[in-house]
Amino acid sequence: MKSYSESYKKAGVDVTAGYKAVELMKSHIAKTMTAGALSGIGGFGGLFELDMTGINKPVLVSGTDGVGTKLKIAFLMDKHNTVGIDCVAMCVNDIICCGAKPQFFLDYIAVGKNYPEKIAEIVSGVAEGCVQSGCALIGGETAEMPGFYPVDEYDLAGFSVGVVDKDKILQPDTQKAGDVLIAIKSSGVHSNGFSLVRNVFTVNEQNLARHFSDLGTTLGEALLTPTKIYVKAIMSLLDEVNVKSISHITGGGFYENIPRSLPANLSAKIERNAVQVLPIFDLIARTGNIPERDMFNTFNMGVGMIVSVDKANADKAVAVLNAAGEEAYILGELVESDEGVIIC
């Protein structure tokens, strides 16, 4: 590569650092290649050939998201190889709520200064997220933006596309009172609510290094735990059980996300004692003196996904999810109501 500009470098953008970053990330990207990936990185567009086997009416489903202010924790801990998993998770976990299987992913990294080793570390996490979700990382963009971001900070976002047969798109309108809600355990805070988290704790290197016995780890490690990716477990479930709807519990918690997958005449009645709240949420609530209603309206509280099935299929659905490596349990049921979510 002969491209080089001394003037651009003096302005704060070193194009050669970008080339080095690409070379360092290639081995990570190679791990994500699937049969449909037709192009390597470096072109103007990522090419992907869809396998239409068994799909009569293909429908593309897209999702995009970022990591949010959880990145502030990564900056303070100087740990950058897990936030990419969060980025992928926030996109693909949304896509599967329609019943679609993610096919490919692209990332966008904006930095104050391009440190090639750091970029490669970030991309290693993106690649790991793609491996976990079975999708190919077929492209992306790294933008060096001096004066816009501090030299030691960055932002990370992504975009994914999945495919589903039109006849197999989940139909929330088929739900009825008495259908069972199944919780799938989260890995922690995931990637939502970190503005409140950072408000509750005095987030600095010293406090992040503090060990909590009820967490079994340091505060920083607990907060930086990557978002769980549910793609493979959900795909297994869809193959074996008639799933009516799926909710991805992200920002807005139970009260915002569950109604998105319900018809207007039904509400989710959740047994409060059934919710397996993770210790990190008890710590957040206790430290910040946060009312329980606000906790359930901000965080996932230990529940990353909620699946709705007919009562007759509930036990089988739990068994399939557990066999796929997830921790699933019955959370509640649907009732005739317009409240949206009832926690009792």
Side-chain angles (χ1 to χ4, degrees), residues 260-307:
R260 295 168 65 182
S261 61
L262 296 177
N265 63 315
L266 293 177
S267 294
K269 182 180 179 182
I270 293 171
E271 301 293 335
R272 172 61 183 86
N273 291 335
V275 183
Q276 297 179 14
V277 178
L278 296 176
I280 184 63
F281 298 110
D282 289 330
L283 179 63
I284 293 170
R286 186 170 66 249
T287 304
N289 193 28
I290 300 173
E292 186 170 85
R293 176 63 167 73
D294 288 356
M295 290 295 295
F296 274 91
N297 208 153
T298 306
F299 301 107
N300 68 62
M301 300 299 286
V303 179
M305 304 282 279
I306 295 177
V307 177

Side-chain angles (χ1 to χ4, degrees), residues 236-252:
S236 295
L237 181 65
L238 293 173
D239 284 341
E240 299 193 42
V241 176
N242 178 29
V243 176
K244 296 187 176 183
S245 76
I246 303 174
S247 301
H248 182 199
I249 311 304
T250 56

Side-chain angles (χ1 to χ4, degrees), residues 50 60-63 95 101-105 135 159-163:
L50 286 173
L60 297 180
V61 181
S62 60
I95 286 174
K101 182 179 180 181
Q103 300 293 309
F104 60 83
F105 188 85
C135 64
F159 171 86
S160 186
V161 171
V163 64

Side-chain angles (χ1 to χ4, degrees), residues 13-75:
V13 178
D14 184 359
V15 294
T16 61
Y19 306 142
K20 182 178 179 181
V22 169
E23 288 302 315
L24 291 174
M25 69 177 72
K26 281 183 176 179
S27 63
H28 302 299
I29 295 171
K31 299 174 185 176
T32 75
M33 291 298 100
T34 63
L38 300 182
S39 62
I41 58 173
F44 289 102
L47 305 180
F48 192 89
E49 181 180 14
L50 286 173
D51 181 0
M52 295 292 99
T53 304
I55 300 178
N56 296 317
K57 301 175 183 177
V59 175
L60 297 180
V61 181
S62 60
T64 186
D65 209 337
V67 182
T69 60
K70 183 174 185 174
L71 291 175
K72 290 286 189 179
I73 310 298
F75 301 158

Side-chain angles (χ1 to χ4, degrees), residues 177-195:
D179 285 346
V180 173
L181 299 173
I182 296 171
I184 312 178
K185 188 176 180 179
S186 73
S187 57
V189 185
H190 284 185
S191 300
N192 304 103
F194 273 84
S195 293

